[in-house]
Amino acid sequence: RKEVEQDPGPFNVPEGATVAFNCTYSNSASQSFFWYRQDCRKEPKLLMSVYSSGNEDGRFTAQLNRASQYISLLIRDSKLSDSATYLCVVSGAGSYQLTFGKGTKLSVIP
Amino acid sequence: DTEVTQTPKHLVMGMTNKKSLKCEQHMGHRAMYWYKQKAKKPPELMFVYSYEKLSINESVPSRFSPECPNSSLLNLHLHALQPEDSALYLCASSQADVGGSGYTFGSGTRLTVV
């Protein structure tokens, strides 16, 4: 089983749509969880950390379910500028080192 | 300063050349990383430095040689590379504590080996 698995994508959605990405991780002792965004030919950039209580940043909401080892990212009212690859990232047990999922590509269409 | 600075941004080198990639951060992060990323793939870990000591080498060929001169600088020395080594090389840094707060990536060096 891969350490971090994401929806394969790609997701092609119209502007204004709501889109959800899912991710599962295999290491139950993982402590930190993140969503990164990567634009084409650019470096990954931290979008948001993910907490058990859930967290929201504008149109973006992230959720963590430790029991199911599941992370989600919800994007509301999609904009053209949201088009990117979204990487689910998880830390190891007792570690600051991160493991990256393969990413899900989102294309928001006019 | 919340940035990781990488130079050069682009590099074309022949298979017999020796070159170096440089990375610098002034955020007080004590963990620094080299990643390699091929098109349409996630970043692939190469090396981890923690408190200026090499802590992880992910079975990287010896034609890649990392160096950490001090807590702010990380180099990657390249020698006798192959065309398949062409990729985006990303440097990152983070706090070296359990759990962590995520990595900050540099903008990368796009390397082409001819």
Side-chain angles (χ1 to χ4, degrees), chain A residues 49-100:
Chain A
S49 301
V50 189
Y51 306 112
S52 296
S53 54
N55 49 309
E56 186 173 316
D57 182 3
R59 298 181 292 107
F60 298 83
T61 300
Q63 294 277 354
L64 167 65
N65 184 320
R66 284 188 185 270
S68 302
Q69 295 179 212
Y70 171 92
I71 305 161
S72 66
L73 176 69
L74 185 75
I75 305 176
R76 290 180 298 279
D77 189 23
S78 299
K79 311 289 184 194
L80 295 176
S81 57
D82 294 333
S83 298
T85 295
Y86 290 83
L87 297 159
C88 176
V89 185
V90 174
S91 75
S95 168
Y96 53 85
Q97 290 161 34
L98 301 181
T99 300
F100 287 78

mmCIF file of all heavy atoms in Angstrom, chain A residues 49-100:
data_model
loop_
_atom_site.group_PDB
_atom_site.id
_atom_site.type_symbol
_atom_site.label_atom_id
_atom_site.label_comp_id
_atom_site.label_asym_id
_atom_site.label_seq_id
_atom_site.Cartn_x
_atom_site.Cartn_y
_atom_site.Cartn_z
ATOM 1 N N SER A 49 -2.218 23.873 6.282
ATOM 2 C CA SER A 49 -2.047 22.727 7.163
ATOM 3 C C SER A 49 -3.426 22.148 7.440
ATOM 4 O O SER A 49 -4.444 22.823 7.260
ATOM 5 C CB SER A 49 -1.394 23.160 8.472
ATOM 6 O OG SER A 49 -0.138 23.751 8.229
ATOM 7 N N VAL A 50 -3.460 20.899 7.879
ATOM 8 C CA VAL A 50 -4.734 20.225 8.119
ATOM 9 C C VAL A 50 -4.783 19.763 9.564
ATOM 10 O O VAL A 50 -3.867 19.081 10.026
ATOM 11 C CB VAL A 50 -4.913 19.008 7.188
ATOM 12 C CG1 VAL A 50 -6.337 18.469 7.293
ATOM 13 C CG2 VAL A 50 -4.592 19.366 5.742
ATOM 14 N N TYR A 51 -5.858 20.118 10.261
ATOM 15 C CA TYR A 51 -5.996 19.769 11.668
ATOM 16 C C TYR A 51 -7.241 18.915 11.868
ATOM 17 O O TYR A 51 -8.182 18.963 11.080
ATOM 18 C CB TYR A 51 -6.099 21.041 12.516
ATOM 19 C CG TYR A 51 -4.961 22.007 12.274
ATOM 20 C CD1 TYR A 51 -5.183 23.237 11.662
ATOM 21 C CD2 TYR A 51 -3.657 21.684 12.648
ATOM 22 C CE1 TYR A 51 -4.149 24.116 11.436
ATOM 23 C CE2 TYR A 51 -2.626 22.565 12.418
ATOM 24 C CZ TYR A 51 -2.873 23.773 11.812
ATOM 25 O OH TYR A 51 -1.831 24.649 11.572
ATOM 26 N N SER A 52 -7.239 18.166 12.964
ATOM 27 C CA SER A 52 -8.380 17.285 13.267
ATOM 28 C C SER A 52 -9.669 18.076 13.397
ATOM 29 O O SER A 52 -10.755 17.575 13.074
ATOM 30 C CB SER A 52 -8.122 16.506 14.554
ATOM 31 O OG SER A 52 -7.028 15.650 14.400
ATOM 32 N N SER A 53 -9.556 19.298 13.862
ATOM 33 C CA SER A 53 -10.756 20.120 14.057
ATOM 34 C C SER A 53 -11.257 20.700 12.738
ATOM 35 O O SER A 53 -12.309 21.331 12.683
ATOM 36 C CB SER A 53 -10.453 21.247 15.036
ATOM 37 O OG SER A 53 -9.323 21.978 14.600
ATOM 38 N N GLY A 54 -10.488 20.495 11.691
ATOM 39 C CA GLY A 54 -10.833 21.091 10.401
ATOM 40 C C GLY A 54 -10.408 22.538 10.372
ATOM 41 O O GLY A 54 -10.349 23.201 11.407
ATOM 42 N N ASN A 55 -10.061 23.029 9.224
ATOM 43 C CA ASN A 55 -9.705 24.435 9.119
ATOM 44 C C ASN A 55 -10.109 24.973 7.763
ATOM 45 O O ASN A 55 -10.201 24.251 6.778
ATOM 46 C CB ASN A 55 -8.218 24.680 9.418
ATOM 47 C CG ASN A 55 -7.297 23.755 8.679
ATOM 48 O OD1 ASN A 55 -7.464 22.546 8.708
ATOM 49 N ND2 ASN A 55 -6.307 24.313 8.003
ATOM 50 N N GLU A 56 -10.375 26.271 7.796
ATOM 51 C CA GLU A 56 -10.917 26.939 6.619
ATOM 52 C C GLU A 56 -10.090 28.174 6.329
ATOM 53 O O GLU A 56 -9.682 28.886 7.252
ATOM 54 C CB GLU A 56 -12.380 27.317 6.888
ATOM 55 C CG GLU A 56 -13.116 27.887 5.700
ATOM 56 C CD GLU A 56 -14.600 28.082 5.997
ATOM 57 O OE1 GLU A 56 -15.218 27.176 6.582
ATOM 58 O OE2 GLU A 56 -15.113 29.168 5.668
ATOM 59 N N ASP A 57 -9.837 28.420 5.064
ATOM 60 C CA ASP A 57 -9.116 29.629 4.655
ATOM 61 C C ASP A 57 -9.813 30.140 3.402
ATOM 62 O O ASP A 57 -9.564 29.649 2.304
ATOM 63 C CB ASP A 57 -7.647 29.303 4.387
ATOM 64 C CG ASP A 57 -6.853 30.533 4.017
ATOM 65 O OD1 ASP A 57 -7.411 31.655 4.010
ATOM 66 O OD2 ASP A 57 -5.642 30.389 3.723
ATOM 67 N N GLY A 58 -10.737 31.063 3.600
ATOM 68 C CA GLY A 58 -11.490 31.585 2.466
ATOM 69 C C GLY A 58 -12.320 30.495 1.810
ATOM 70 O O GLY A 58 -13.162 29.867 2.460
ATOM 71 N N ARG A 59 -12.056 30.223 0.547
ATOM 72 C CA ARG A 59 -12.830 29.235 -0.200
ATOM 73 C C ARG A 59 -12.334 27.807 0.014
ATOM 74 O O ARG A 59 -12.925 26.869 -0.525
ATOM 75 C CB ARG A 59 -12.754 29.573 -1.699
ATOM 76 C CG ARG A 59 -13.340 30.930 -2.072
ATOM 77 C CD ARG A 59 -13.258 31.207 -3.571
ATOM 78 N NE ARG A 59 -11.867 31.385 -4.018
ATOM 79 C CZ ARG A 59 -11.188 30.500 -4.739
ATOM 80 N NH1 ARG A 59 -11.760 29.359 -5.111
ATOM 81 N NH2 ARG A 59 -9.944 30.748 -5.126
ATOM 82 N N PHE A 60 -11.286 27.657 0.779
ATOM 83 C CA PHE A 60 -10.652 26.346 0.969
ATOM 84 C C PHE A 60 -10.942 25.822 2.379
ATOM 85 O O PHE A 60 -10.783 26.539 3.354
ATOM 86 C CB PHE A 60 -9.134 26.466 0.787
ATOM 87 C CG PHE A 60 -8.726 26.912 -0.596
ATOM 88 C CD1 PHE A 60 -8.730 28.257 -0.935
ATOM 89 C CD2 PHE A 60 -8.352 25.988 -1.545
ATOM 90 C CE1 PHE A 60 -8.365 28.664 -2.212
ATOM 91 C CE2 PHE A 60 -7.977 26.384 -2.822
ATOM 92 C CZ PHE A 60 -7.989 27.731 -3.150
ATOM 93 N N THR A 61 -11.357 24.548 2.429
ATOM 94 C CA THR A 61 -11.596 23.890 3.715
ATOM 95 C C THR A 61 -10.884 22.548 3.705
ATOM 96 O O THR A 61 -11.033 21.767 2.767
ATOM 97 C CB THR A 61 -13.102 23.654 3.949
ATOM 98 O OG1 THR A 61 -13.779 24.905 3.936
ATOM 99 C CG2 THR A 61 -13.337 22.975 5.291
ATOM 100 N N ALA A 62 -10.117 22.291 4.756
ATOM 101 C CA ALA A 62 -9.400 21.014 4.880
ATOM 102 C C ALA A 62 -9.913 20.274 6.101
ATOM 103 O O ALA A 62 -10.247 20.878 7.123
ATOM 104 C CB ALA A 62 -7.903 21.270 5.001
ATOM 105 N N GLN A 63 -10.001 18.965 5.960
ATOM 106 C CA GLN A 63 -10.464 18.121 7.059
ATOM 107 C C GLN A 63 -9.524 16.945 7.230
ATOM 108 O O GLN A 63 -8.965 16.435 6.249
ATOM 109 C CB GLN A 63 -11.864 17.573 6.754
ATOM 110 C CG GLN A 63 -12.964 18.587 6.683
ATOM 111 C CD GLN A 63 -13.511 18.936 8.059
ATOM 112 O OE1 GLN A 63 -13.135 18.327 9.058
ATOM 113 N NE2 GLN A 63 -14.388 19.922 8.111
ATOM 114 N N LEU A 64 -9.386 16.505 8.474
ATOM 115 C CA LEU A 64 -8.576 15.330 8.791
ATOM 116 C C LEU A 64 -9.418 14.366 9.606
ATOM 117 O O LEU A 64 -10.033 14.774 10.587
ATOM 118 C CB LEU A 64 -7.342 15.757 9.595
ATOM 119 C CG LEU A 64 -6.539 14.661 10.286
ATOM 120 C CD1 LEU A 64 -5.905 13.725 9.272
ATOM 121 C CD2 LEU A 64 -5.468 15.275 11.189
ATOM 122 N N ASN A 65 -9.429 13.115 9.209
ATOM 123 C CA ASN A 65 -10.092 12.067 9.978
ATOM 124 C C ASN A 65 -9.024 11.045 10.351
ATOM 125 O O ASN A 65 -8.637 10.216 9.531
ATOM 126 C CB ASN A 65 -11.202 11.414 9.149
ATOM 127 C CG ASN A 65 -11.979 10.381 9.940
ATOM 128 O OD1 ASN A 65 -11.409 9.612 10.726
ATOM 129 N ND2 ASN A 65 -13.284 10.354 9.757
ATOM 130 N N ARG A 66 -8.534 11.138 11.581
ATOM 131 C CA ARG A 66 -7.434 10.266 11.998
ATOM 132 C C ARG A 66 -7.872 8.803 12.058
ATOM 133 O O ARG A 66 -7.104 7.905 11.752
ATOM 134 C CB ARG A 66 -6.901 10.693 13.361
ATOM 135 C CG ARG A 66 -6.027 11.932 13.310
ATOM 136 C CD ARG A 66 -5.381 12.173 14.658
ATOM 137 N NE ARG A 66 -4.636 13.411 14.703
ATOM 138 C CZ ARG A 66 -3.349 13.508 14.395
ATOM 139 N NH1 ARG A 66 -2.678 12.444 13.999
ATOM 140 N NH2 ARG A 66 -2.726 14.664 14.475
ATOM 141 N N ALA A 67 -9.106 8.565 12.461
ATOM 142 C CA ALA A 67 -9.579 7.182 12.596
ATOM 143 C C ALA A 67 -9.565 6.479 11.237
ATOM 144 O O ALA A 67 -9.193 5.302 11.132
ATOM 145 C CB ALA A 67 -10.983 7.164 13.188
ATOM 146 N N SER A 68 -9.946 7.212 10.204
ATOM 147 C CA SER A 68 -9.993 6.621 8.859
ATOM 148 C C SER A 68 -8.714 6.890 8.075
ATOM 149 O O SER A 68 -8.581 6.409 6.943
ATOM 150 C CB SER A 68 -11.175 7.194 8.072
ATOM 151 O OG SER A 68 -12.384 6.949 8.759
ATOM 152 N N GLN A 69 -7.818 7.691 8.667
ATOM 153 C CA GLN A 69 -6.553 8.051 8.003
ATOM 154 C C GLN A 69 -6.848 8.667 6.645
ATOM 155 O O GLN A 69 -6.340 8.228 5.602
ATOM 156 C CB GLN A 69 -5.630 6.817 7.910
ATOM 157 C CG GLN A 69 -5.201 6.347 9.285
ATOM 158 C CD GLN A 69 -4.320 5.120 9.266
ATOM 159 O OE1 GLN A 69 -4.365 4.309 10.169
ATOM 160 N NE2 GLN A 69 -3.497 4.963 8.255
ATOM 161 N N TYR A 70 -7.634 9.710 6.709
ATOM 162 C CA TYR A 70 -8.213 10.321 5.515
ATOM 163 C C TYR A 70 -8.120 11.839 5.649
ATOM 164 O O TYR A 70 -8.393 12.406 6.696
ATOM 165 C CB TYR A 70 -9.668 9.855 5.454
ATOM 166 C CG TYR A 70 -10.556 10.484 4.448
ATOM 167 C CD1 TYR A 70 -10.710 9.917 3.182
ATOM 168 C CD2 TYR A 70 -11.296 11.613 4.768
ATOM 169 C CE1 TYR A 70 -11.564 10.492 2.262
ATOM 170 C CE2 TYR A 70 -12.155 12.185 3.849
ATOM 171 C CZ TYR A 70 -12.289 11.618 2.603
ATOM 172 O OH TYR A 70 -13.139 12.171 1.695
ATOM 173 N N ILE A 71 -7.733 12.479 4.545
ATOM 174 C CA ILE A 71 -7.620 13.941 4.515
ATOM 175 C C ILE A 71 -8.409 14.431 3.314
ATOM 176 O O ILE A 71 -8.407 13.762 2.262
ATOM 177 C CB ILE A 71 -6.139 14.362 4.351
ATOM 178 C CG1 ILE A 71 -5.271 13.747 5.439
ATOM 179 C CG2 ILE A 71 -5.986 15.872 4.363
ATOM 180 C CD1 ILE A 71 -3.796 13.740 5.073
ATOM 181 N N SER A 72 -9.037 15.567 3.445
ATOM 182 C CA SER A 72 -9.777 16.105 2.308
ATOM 183 C C SER A 72 -9.493 17.585 2.139
ATOM 184 O O SER A 72 -9.070 18.281 3.081
ATOM 185 C CB SER A 72 -11.281 15.879 2.493
ATOM 186 O OG SER A 72 -11.752 16.632 3.596
ATOM 187 N N LEU A 73 -9.722 18.057 0.939
ATOM 188 C CA LEU A 73 -9.628 19.485 0.618
ATOM 189 C C LEU A 73 -10.840 19.838 -0.231
ATOM 190 O O LEU A 73 -11.106 19.187 -1.239
ATOM 191 C CB LEU A 73 -8.344 19.800 -0.156
ATOM 192 C CG LEU A 73 -8.182 21.239 -0.625
ATOM 193 C CD1 LEU A 73 -7.971 22.169 0.575
ATOM 194 C CD2 LEU A 73 -7.010 21.371 -1.593
ATOM 195 N N LEU A 74 -11.568 20.840 0.216
ATOM 196 C CA LEU A 74 -12.750 21.303 -0.507
ATOM 197 C C LEU A 74 -12.469 22.705 -1.023
ATOM 198 O O LEU A 74 -12.025 23.579 -0.259
ATOM 199 C CB LEU A 74 -13.951 21.319 0.436
ATOM 200 C CG LEU A 74 -15.299 21.674 -0.196
ATOM 201 C CD1 LEU A 74 -15.821 20.503 -1.018
ATOM 202 C CD2 LEU A 74 -16.324 22.042 0.885
ATOM 203 N N ILE A 75 -12.708 22.915 -2.299
ATOM 204 C CA ILE A 75 -12.568 24.243 -2.888
ATOM 205 C C ILE A 75 -13.947 24.680 -3.370
ATOM 206 O O ILE A 75 -14.568 24.024 -4.207
ATOM 207 C CB ILE A 75 -11.585 24.242 -4.079
ATOM 208 C CG1 ILE A 75 -10.229 23.655 -3.653
ATOM 209 C CG2 ILE A 75 -11.413 25.662 -4.623
ATOM 210 C CD1 ILE A 75 -9.239 23.527 -4.804
ATOM 211 N N ARG A 76 -14.409 25.786 -2.813
ATOM 212 C CA ARG A 76 -15.717 26.326 -3.221
ATOM 213 C C ARG A 76 -15.524 27.443 -4.237
ATOM 214 O O ARG A 76 -14.487 28.122 -4.249
ATOM 215 C CB ARG A 76 -16.467 26.874 -2.005
ATOM 216 C CG ARG A 76 -16.954 25.803 -1.031
ATOM 217 C CD ARG A 76 -17.698 26.452 0.147
ATOM 218 N NE ARG A 76 -16.814 27.332 0.899
ATOM 219 C CZ ARG A 76 -15.947 26.915 1.812
ATOM 220 N NH1 ARG A 76 -15.853 25.637 2.096
ATOM 221 N NH2 ARG A 76 -15.185 27.782 2.450
ATOM 222 N N ASP A 77 -16.537 27.649 -5.082
ATOM 223 C CA ASP A 77 -16.533 28.765 -6.036
ATOM 224 C C ASP A 77 -15.205 28.805 -6.795
ATOM 225 O O ASP A 77 -14.467 29.805 -6.749
ATOM 226 C CB ASP A 77 -16.764 30.082 -5.283
ATOM 227 C CG ASP A 77 -16.980 31.261 -6.219
ATOM 228 O OD1 ASP A 77 -17.375 31.034 -7.388
ATOM 229 O OD2 ASP A 77 -16.724 32.404 -5.795
ATOM 230 N N SER A 78 -14.891 27.738 -7.482
ATOM 231 C CA SER A 78 -13.596 27.596 -8.166
ATOM 232 C C SER A 78 -13.318 28.760 -9.104
ATOM 233 O O SER A 78 -14.208 29.245 -9.817
ATOM 234 C CB SER A 78 -13.576 26.300 -8.987
ATOM 235 O OG SER A 78 -13.750 25.182 -8.163
ATOM 236 N N LYS A 79 -12.074 29.197 -9.087
ATOM 237 C CA LYS A 79 -11.601 30.254 -9.976
ATOM 238 C C LYS A 79 -10.637 29.659 -10.993
ATOM 239 O O LYS A 79 -10.000 28.623 -10.739
ATOM 240 C CB LYS A 79 -10.854 31.332 -9.178
ATOM 241 C CG LYS A 79 -11.565 31.853 -7.948
ATOM 242 C CD LYS A 79 -12.749 32.698 -8.309
ATOM 243 C CE LYS A 79 -13.381 33.294 -7.042
ATOM 244 N NZ LYS A 79 -14.715 33.842 -7.333
ATOM 245 N N LEU A 80 -10.468 30.347 -12.113
ATOM 246 C CA LEU A 80 -9.494 29.899 -13.109
ATOM 247 C C LEU A 80 -8.104 29.759 -12.488
ATOM 248 O O LEU A 80 -7.340 28.850 -12.812
ATOM 249 C CB LEU A 80 -9.446 30.869 -14.291
ATOM 250 C CG LEU A 80 -10.710 30.988 -15.140
ATOM 251 C CD1 LEU A 80 -10.527 32.063 -16.206
ATOM 252 C CD2 LEU A 80 -11.075 29.663 -15.780
ATOM 253 N N SER A 81 -7.803 30.665 -11.569
ATOM 254 C CA SER A 81 -6.482 30.674 -10.932
ATOM 255 C C SER A 81 -6.261 29.499 -9.974
ATOM 256 O O SER A 81 -5.143 29.302 -9.500
ATOM 257 C CB SER A 81 -6.271 31.987 -10.177
ATOM 258 O OG SER A 81 -7.308 32.163 -9.219
ATOM 259 N N ASP A 82 -7.315 28.731 -9.706
ATOM 260 C CA ASP A 82 -7.148 27.539 -8.860
ATOM 261 C C ASP A 82 -6.562 26.370 -9.651
ATOM 262 O O ASP A 82 -6.196 25.348 -9.070
ATOM 263 C CB ASP A 82 -8.491 27.097 -8.259
ATOM 264 C CG ASP A 82 -9.064 28.113 -7.284
ATOM 265 O OD1 ASP A 82 -8.276 28.860 -6.673
ATOM 266 O OD2 ASP A 82 -10.301 28.149 -7.145
ATOM 267 N N SER A 83 -6.486 26.490 -10.950
ATOM 268 C CA SER A 83 -5.931 25.419 -11.787
ATOM 269 C C SER A 83 -4.485 25.167 -11.390
ATOM 270 O O SER A 83 -3.650 26.066 -11.432
ATOM 271 C CB SER A 83 -6.005 25.796 -13.271
ATOM 272 O OG SER A 83 -7.347 25.963 -13.668
ATOM 273 N N ALA A 84 -4.215 23.942 -10.978
ATOM 274 C CA ALA A 84 -2.891 23.575 -10.470
ATOM 275 C C ALA A 84 -2.931 22.095 -10.111
ATOM 276 O O ALA A 84 -3.967 21.446 -10.226
ATOM 277 C CB ALA A 84 -2.527 24.397 -9.230
ATOM 278 N N THR A 85 -1.799 21.585 -9.648
ATOM 279 C CA THR A 85 -1.762 20.242 -9.074
ATOM 280 C C THR A 85 -1.750 20.377 -7.563
ATOM 281 O O THR A 85 -0.987 21.182 -7.018
ATOM 282 C CB THR A 85 -0.525 19.470 -9.560
ATOM 283 O OG1 THR A 85 -0.638 19.269 -10.972
ATOM 284 C CG2 THR A 85 -0.422 18.111 -8.867
ATOM 285 N N TYR A 86 -2.594 19.612 -6.891
ATOM 286 C CA TYR A 86 -2.708 19.683 -5.430
ATOM 287 C C TYR A 86 -2.090 18.419 -4.837
ATOM 288 O O TYR A 86 -2.480 17.296 -5.165
ATOM 289 C CB TYR A 86 -4.177 19.843 -5.032
ATOM 290 C CG TYR A 86 -4.688 21.216 -5.414
ATOM 291 C CD1 TYR A 86 -5.128 21.483 -6.716
ATOM 292 C CD2 TYR A 86 -4.668 22.266 -4.498
ATOM 293 C CE1 TYR A 86 -5.546 22.750 -7.086
ATOM 294 C CE2 TYR A 86 -5.092 23.537 -4.860
ATOM 295 C CZ TYR A 86 -5.518 23.771 -6.154
ATOM 296 O OH TYR A 86 -5.930 25.032 -6.521
ATOM 297 N N LEU A 87 -1.111 18.639 -3.972
ATOM 298 C CA LEU A 87 -0.343 17.552 -3.378
ATOM 299 C C LEU A 87 -0.747 17.353 -1.922
ATOM 300 O O LEU A 87 -0.724 18.307 -1.132
ATOM 301 C CB LEU A 87 1.156 17.871 -3.437
ATOM 302 C CG LEU A 87 1.772 18.008 -4.827
ATOM 303 C CD1 LEU A 87 3.065 18.800 -4.769
ATOM 304 C CD2 LEU A 87 2.044 16.638 -5.418
ATOM 305 N N CYS A 88 -1.096 16.135 -1.583
ATOM 306 C CA CYS A 88 -1.377 15.767 -0.201
ATOM 307 C C CYS A 88 -0.052 15.348 0.432
ATOM 308 O O CYS A 88 0.688 14.536 -0.152
ATOM 309 C CB CYS A 88 -2.373 14.620 -0.184
ATOM 310 S SG CYS A 88 -2.765 13.959 1.441
ATOM 311 N N VAL A 89 0.267 15.892 1.603
ATOM 312 C CA VAL A 89 1.589 15.685 2.193
ATOM 313 C C VAL A 89 1.440 15.333 3.669
ATOM 314 O O VAL A 89 0.689 15.990 4.389
ATOM 315 C CB VAL A 89 2.450 16.955 2.029
ATOM 316 C CG1 VAL A 89 3.869 16.713 2.527
ATOM 317 C CG2 VAL A 89 2.478 17.398 0.567
ATOM 318 N N VAL A 90 2.174 14.322 4.098
ATOM 319 C CA VAL A 90 2.014 13.782 5.451
ATOM 320 C C VAL A 90 3.386 13.599 6.081
ATOM 321 O O VAL A 90 4.323 13.160 5.403
ATOM 322 C CB VAL A 90 1.288 12.421 5.362
ATOM 323 C CG1 VAL A 90 1.218 11.748 6.711
ATOM 324 C CG2 VAL A 90 -0.095 12.584 4.775
ATOM 325 N N SER A 91 3.498 13.909 7.361
ATOM 326 C CA SER A 91 4.777 13.670 8.037
ATOM 327 C C SER A 91 4.851 12.233 8.517
ATOM 328 O O SER A 91 3.832 11.566 8.701
ATOM 329 C CB SER A 91 4.961 14.603 9.223
ATOM 330 O OG SER A 91 4.151 14.173 10.300
ATOM 331 N N GLY A 92 6.086 11.774 8.786
ATOM 332 C CA GLY A 92 6.267 10.439 9.328
ATOM 333 C C GLY A 92 6.011 10.414 10.820
ATOM 334 O O GLY A 92 5.743 11.446 11.424
ATOM 335 N N ALA A 93 6.089 9.267 11.401
ATOM 336 C CA ALA A 93 5.888 9.114 12.839
ATOM 337 C C ALA A 93 7.087 9.688 13.576
ATOM 338 O O ALA A 93 8.213 9.304 13.301
ATOM 339 C CB ALA A 93 5.726 7.645 13.187
ATOM 340 N N GLY A 94 6.821 10.612 14.508
ATOM 341 C CA GLY A 94 7.916 11.186 15.288
ATOM 342 C C GLY A 94 8.951 11.857 14.418
ATOM 343 O O GLY A 94 10.134 11.869 14.734
ATOM 344 N N SER A 95 8.502 12.436 13.328
ATOM 345 C CA SER A 95 9.457 12.953 12.351
ATOM 346 C C SER A 95 8.923 14.236 11.742
ATOM 347 O O SER A 95 7.722 14.466 11.680
ATOM 348 C CB SER A 95 9.678 11.906 11.270
ATOM 349 O OG SER A 95 10.384 12.462 10.175
ATOM 350 N N TYR A 96 9.857 15.063 11.298
ATOM 351 C CA TYR A 96 9.460 16.262 10.566
ATOM 352 C C TYR A 96 9.546 16.031 9.067
ATOM 353 O O TYR A 96 9.239 16.920 8.292
ATOM 354 C CB TYR A 96 10.370 17.422 10.966
ATOM 355 C CG TYR A 96 11.833 17.101 10.833
ATOM 356 C CD1 TYR A 96 12.491 17.256 9.619
ATOM 357 C CD2 TYR A 96 12.547 16.603 11.914
ATOM 358 C CE1 TYR A 96 13.823 16.932 9.491
ATOM 359 C CE2 TYR A 96 13.882 16.277 11.795
ATOM 360 C CZ TYR A 96 14.520 16.445 10.584
ATOM 361 O OH TYR A 96 15.847 16.127 10.477
ATOM 362 N N GLN A 97 9.975 14.840 8.657
ATOM 363 C CA GLN A 97 10.137 14.599 7.222
ATOM 364 C C GLN A 97 8.791 14.277 6.590
ATOM 365 O O GLN A 97 7.971 13.596 7.185
ATOM 366 C CB GLN A 97 11.127 13.469 7.012
ATOM 367 C CG GLN A 97 12.536 13.906 7.394
ATOM 368 C CD GLN A 97 13.442 12.742 7.638
ATOM 369 O OE1 GLN A 97 13.317 11.724 6.987
ATOM 370 N NE2 GLN A 97 14.354 12.898 8.573
ATOM 371 N N LEU A 98 8.605 14.767 5.390
ATOM 372 C CA LEU A 98 7.301 14.694 4.739
ATOM 373 C C LEU A 98 7.293 13.679 3.600
ATOM 374 O O LEU A 98 8.293 13.476 2.918
ATOM 375 C CB LEU A 98 6.922 16.067 4.189
ATOM 376 C CG LEU A 98 6.837 17.196 5.213
ATOM 377 C CD1 LEU A 98 6.436 18.491 4.531
ATOM 378 C CD2 LEU A 98 5.873 16.846 6.326
ATOM 379 N N THR A 99 6.135 13.070 3.415
ATOM 380 C CA THR A 99 5.902 12.171 2.291
ATOM 381 C C THR A 99 4.833 12.783 1.400
ATOM 382 O O THR A 99 3.774 13.191 1.887
ATOM 383 C CB THR A 99 5.432 10.785 2.785
ATOM 384 O OG1 THR A 99 6.443 10.231 3.625
ATOM 385 C CG2 THR A 99 5.196 9.852 1.601
ATOM 386 N N PHE A 100 5.103 12.827 0.114
ATOM 387 C CA PHE A 100 4.207 13.473 -0.833
ATOM 388 C C PHE A 100 3.355 12.440 -1.551
ATOM 389 O O PHE A 100 3.848 11.388 -1.969
ATOM 390 C CB PHE A 100 5.016 14.240 -1.888
ATOM 391 C CG PHE A 100 5.639 15.491 -1.376
ATOM 392 C CD1 PHE A 100 6.799 15.445 -0.609
ATOM 393 C CD2 PHE A 100 5.081 16.728 -1.653
ATOM 394 C CE1 PHE A 100 7.381 16.601 -0.123
ATOM 395 C CE2 PHE A 100 5.659 17.889 -1.175
ATOM 396 C CZ PHE A 100 6.805 17.833 -0.412
#
